[in-house]
Structure formats: structure tokens, C-alpha cells
Amino acid sequence: MKYTAGELAKKCGVSARTVRFYDEREILIPCGYSESGYRLYDDESAERLQKIVMLRFLDFSIDQISEMMKEENFNVRESLHEQEKLLIEKKEHIQRILDAVKRAEAAPDDRLWDNLLRIIEITKEREYVDTQYLNEDNLKKRISIHDYSTAKMGFYPWVLERLKLSDGMKIMDIGCGNAAFWKSISDRLPENLEIHLLDYSAGMLESAERTAEEIVKKYPHKGLKFIVDKRDAADFNYPTGEFDLIMANHMLYHVNRESRLKLYEKIRTLLSEKGRFSCTLIGRKHFLELNDMLREYDPGIHIPSSSFDIWMETARQELEPYFTVLSVEEQKNDLLVPDEELILEYASSYSHEVKESISRDKELFLKRVRGKMDKDGYMYIQKSTGIVICEK
């Protein structure tokens, strides 16, 4: 049986506009045309449309659905598994917002607006973190530019030297990402470490788990033990303590100040006597040249770091009420980048907004990058990264 777009829409319980949209995106292809030139669909089209509607209900993107429909061997079960994890994360995020709404309802009048602002903060902070760190692909883009560092030693080995790890330590890594830190320094690790890898993103934790398995397999004689667990630094708790070291690498600025201060209190309770807390941070001039160029390119662009409220320069003051700050050290680690496409990719990873702005005229952006390069073809980008070491 043949159906017009309107008849197919009625049969499947959607609007004719929806049918036309999927047709335009070449996801739903007509089986033929009427003598008057109208698109025609059949029962197979109806089944296909029902699949599309179901996948959209599960929050798959149009691009993902298009890929599923075009590839005969597409692993739908694997995609459903990934989508299940994303939906669980969204559910948890919504629960945090609901909790904040309940607190706002119960707040006295003089605290009502503060609680309403907190709801907005929860929404914005999760949107930003999800955009950048939903899976390791975006993180890899952000890491690859650092291959052009002028430092004599890579940042991770530099950090490792300052952590002074020793055999048998119990360590927690909050916001571990894909565990790239541990992979890069795995050959230098002492023996019999117990390392707890924590992150909010299920996608990151899946990568971290694979990395941990690779390390254990490669260095069986080290007796390393990894525990991978899903935790939210903005609402933190953990069932065990007595950690010799708790780390937070490049993640504190993704947590609002109120939640950070609560996190420090929790960390203190989880540390052993004389246990240490370390955090890596950026300074106010980090990637100054790139950020200035982006603002010149599009004055309306929002640079994510402009919203940060903790820096290398302010860390000591914030941490001193909770810990004894032993050192604040910055690595000399600027970049000379010869690859304009890599700079574009890095800038695009900032946010959807930045990516869309650059995409509108990619060649103009690349031309601006080339204009910032020196006679040898390198763009200088100042880095300001370092580590703060504290003691309980």
C-alpha cells in the first residue's frame, strides 16, 4: 500500500512536517512519486519512520540516527548501551536540579534568589562539562595541541616528580577523565599502589577502565590495583578513606565555589594523617594569545575560562582554610604550534557556540591563525599551568 506524506504521518502518529524533515535529511526516503509529483511511502517506510521516532525518543541525535539507518552492520545494541549511560547521567543531573528546587522552595525570603541562582549554576556547569568531556574524543583534541610544548619535560612526568609517590600508597584521582595521566607515567609508578579513579562521565570512566586494565596487564609485577567509580565532585561522597594522596587534576574550575568548599571538607575527612591533596590548575594568562584571537574573530564568543573563579594565582588563599599549602609551582611550558588545523580543532572543542562561530567561515579563521604565526610558521601560545601541593 502506498501513502502520501500526510497519510504516513497520520498512520505513525506524527506531523506531516516531521515526515518532510526526515525526508530532507535523507533518513526517510520515498519509495516513489505520484503522477502529480507527490512523494509516496509504503509499509516499509512506516516501519522505518517508527524506528526513527523511537530513536529520537531515546534522545539519539539526527546524525546518529542517519548513521544507524545507512549502515547495514551498525551495532544498534552497542549504541543503545551508550545511550542508556547518557540517559542515566541526565536523570542524575535532573535529580540534582530537583533537589535544588526543593531547597529554594524551603528557603527563607532573603535566601530565595541565591537558591534560584544555584539552580542556574547547576544547569550551566553540567552543560559545559558534558560538552567538553562527554567522551574522550573531545579530550584528545584538547590534549594533542600540547605535543608542541617547549618544556624540557612533559607536564604529566613533571607533576609525577612533585607528587613523590612511594610503594603501597592509597591514591584517589577525582575527575580522572580517560586516565591519560596514569597511562603516560605508568612505567614510572612505584609498586603495590591502590588507585581510585573517579569521574562523573560514564564515557570517560569506560575509557579509564580500559586504560587501567592495559596498565595492569603491561606491568603485572608492580601489583597495581585500580578501582573505577562514578562520582560527582559537585556533590561528593565516598565510602572509604585513609588516602595517602587525593588528586584533582584540571577539574576544580569546573565546580562552583560553594561545592568546591564542601569538596575540600570531604577530602580532609578522607585523607590519612599527614595525607596530601594536590590539584593542577591554570593561571589567568593561560592560552592568552588564542583567546584574544578568538575574541577578535568574534567579539560575541564566550571563552569558557572567563567564567572560572579559581586560578593558580588564587588557589593558596582558597585552600589555606582547609589544608596546609606546601607549594604552588608553575611549569614553564609554552607552545609553538605549526599546525593551523590543530589550533582550529582545539578552539572548536571549547563549546558548541565557538565551534559554530568558527565553522561559519573556516577559511577566515585559518587566515587569522596564519597571521599570528612567526616567520618560521609557528603560533606562540602562552601556557600557565602548575600544581598546588597541600597537606592535611
Side-chain angles (χ1 to χ4, degrees), residues 103-116:
R103 286 195 293 271
E105 288 177 335
D109 289 345
D110 63 340
R111 295 287 298 166
L112 177 60
W113 287 106
D114 288 341
N115 280 273
L116 291 175

Side-chain angles (χ1 to χ4, degrees), residues 362-379:
K362 177 181 174 181
E363 283 307 314
L364 176 60
F365 182 81
L366 292 176
K367 183 179 179 180
R368 283 183 176 269
V369 174
R370 289 191 289 269
K372 299 291 183 180
M373 289 179 164
D374 62 22
K375 59 182 178 61
D376 295 318
Y378 293 93
M379 179 174 175

Side-chain angles (χ1 to χ4, degrees), residues 224-235:
L224 302 173
K225 181 182 179 182
F226 288 93
I227 295 95
V228 181
D229 199 353
K230 188 174 186 293
R231 299 284 161 169
D232 187 350
D235 187 19

Side-chain angles (χ1 to χ4, degrees), residues 90-251:
K90 286 187 177 182
K91 176 184 173 183
E92 292 173 352
H93 182 211
I94 290 170
Q95 186 59 55
R96 286 188 60 210
I97 295 175
L98 285 172
D99 291 342
V101 168
K102 288 177 182 177
R103 286 195 293 271
E105 288 177 335
D109 289 345
D110 63 340
R111 295 287 298 166
L112 177 60
W113 287 106
D114 288 341
N115 280 273
L116 291 175
L117 287 172
R118 176 69 187 118
I119 295 168
I120 295 171
E121 285 177 1
I122 290 172
T123 303
K124 284 186 174 180
E125 72 191 32
R126 186 49 58 200
E127 284 175 353
Y128 172 66
V129 174
D130 284 351
T131 297
Q132 297 205 57
Y133 303 111
L134 183 62
N135 56 54
E136 66 175 338
D137 292 339
N138 214 35
L139 186 59
K140 283 178 177 177
K141 288 180 182 177
R142 299 181 66 79
I143 289 174
S144 59
I145 199 170
H146 298 284
D147 292 341
Y148 296 101
S149 168
T150 57
K152 294 179 180 179
M153 178 186 293
F155 185 67
Y156 288 157
W158 183 86
V159 168
L160 179 65
E161 278 194 354
R162 280 140 188 85
L163 293 178
K164 301 188 185 306
L165 305 185
S166 58
D167 290 351
M169 289 181 72
K170 185 177 180 181
I171 303 167
M172 175 187 288
D173 184 357
I174 303 174
C176 67
N178 61 359
F181 170 77
W182 299 100
K183 183 175 183 177
S184 69
I185 49 90
S186 56
D187 60 324
R188 310 180 194 193
L189 290 175
E191 296 182 355
N192 302 315
L193 299 180
E194 181 179 312
I195 304 168
H196 295 241
L197 301 176
L198 313 182
D199 205 282
Y200 178 88
S201 165
M204 286 296 186
L205 286 175
E206 188 172 314
S207 299
E209 193 159 18
R210 287 197 302 268
T211 298
E213 289 171 358
E214 290 171 10
I215 294 172
V216 170
K217 185 177 181 180
K218 189 173 182 179
Y219 303 101
H221 61 283
K222 288 183 179 283
L224 302 173
K225 181 182 179 182
F226 288 93
I227 295 95
V228 181
D229 199 353
K230 188 174 186 293
R231 299 284 161 169
D232 187 350
D235 187 19
F236 192 76
N237 64 81
Y238 206 66
T240 184
E242 291 300 307
F243 285 89
D244 300 296
L245 172 66
I246 296 180
M247 308 162 52
N249 288 341
H250 286 324
M251 55 75 60

Side-chain angles (χ1 to χ4, degrees), residues 1-5 8 18-33 38-50 52 65-66 69-70:
M1 187 172 178
K2 298 290 190 296
Y3 309 95
T4 64
L8 178 66
T18 297
V19 173
R20 289 196 298 272
F21 174 76
Y22 292 135
D23 191 332
E24 289 167 2
R25 295 300 297 266
E26 298 183 352
I27 302 174
L28 183 68
I29 309 296
C31 65
Y33 294 85
Y38 290 106
R39 290 176 170 80
L40 296 176
Y41 304 89
D42 55 17
D43 289 329
E44 187 177 334
S45 305
E47 182 181 346
R48 187 179 181 90
L49 179 56
Q50 287 169 343
I52 294 169
I65 294 171
S66 178
M69 294 298 180
K70 288 177 182 176

